[in-house]
Amino acid sequence: MRLLRSTDLALRLLMRLAVLGDATPTTRQVAADMEVPYTHAAKVVAELQYMGLVDARRGRGGGLSLSDRGRTASVGAIVRAFEGDGDVVDCEGDHPCPLNSGCRLRGALRRAQEAFYASLDPLTVADVTADPTGPLLLRIGRAP
């Protein structure tokens, strides 16, 4: 299973904010540090703000910070929110699979997907930023 770019960025952004302490980077700074387009970062930040995981303040002295809810959020829940409820494969899309009525693979893939999410559910953003990850996150975007 491969995560969407927006899911990957959301997780990395939350992890980065978790270790920054009182620093409040702007969306533009985060995009530059993570080497992603500003527009992509802005969409992800807007979704994280809507989910209540990130606080964003505009204007002078503004910036991004991790909310209390963001710090304790389940990684599995975040991934589900960004990835959606879809199956790993689209058996009923524009070109329905001819095996759809009797396929056993679809159920196996669904169980594997749920096992993937179940393994992420107990992890929080705080868990995945513990040492040795935290210090590494602080070096992102800095010159060597």
Side-chain angles (χ1 to χ4, degrees):
M1 182 171 170
R2 177 177 222 117
L3 297 180
L4 298 171
R5 284 182 46 208
S6 57
T7 307
D8 173 50
L9 180 57
L11 292 170
R12 289 186 297 131
L13 192 143
L14 290 169
M15 291 169 65
R16 174 96 165 143
L17 292 177
V19 299
L20 287 179
D22 293 334
T24 55
T26 65
T27 302
R28 198 165 298 282
Q29 289 168 324
V30 169
D33 287 349
M34 296 191 170
E35 300 178 359
V36 298
Y38 168 76
T39 53
H40 186 58
K43 288 177 187 176
V44 169
V45 166
E47 183 63 25
L48 292 170
Q49 187 178 11
Y50 176 78
M51 293 169 64
L53 305 178
V54 169
D55 294 323
R57 292 178 312 282
R58 292 179 171 258
R60 189 171 202 174
L64 305 174
S65 61
L66 192 64
S67 69
D68 290 337
R69 183 175 176 194
R71 196 168 306 282
T72 61
S74 161
V75 172
I78 296 165
V79 172
R80 275 188 188 88
F82 274 86
E83 293 291 315
D85 293 332
D87 288 327
V88 175
V89 292
D90 186 12
C91 300
E92 299 171 2
D94 293 338
H95 303 285
C97 178
L99 301 175
N100 200 12
S101 63
C103 182
R104 297 179 68 174
L105 179 60
R106 183 178 187 180
L109 290 173
R110 176 50 122 176
R111 288 187 300 277
Q113 182 180 22
E114 284 307 313
F116 171 75
Y117 287 134
S119 69
L120 296 175
D121 283 339
L123 293 173
T124 66
V125 172
D127 292 334
V128 296
T129 57
D131 285 346
T133 305
L136 293 173
L137 286 163
L138 290 172
R139 291 193 301 219
I140 292 176
R142 292 186 183 165

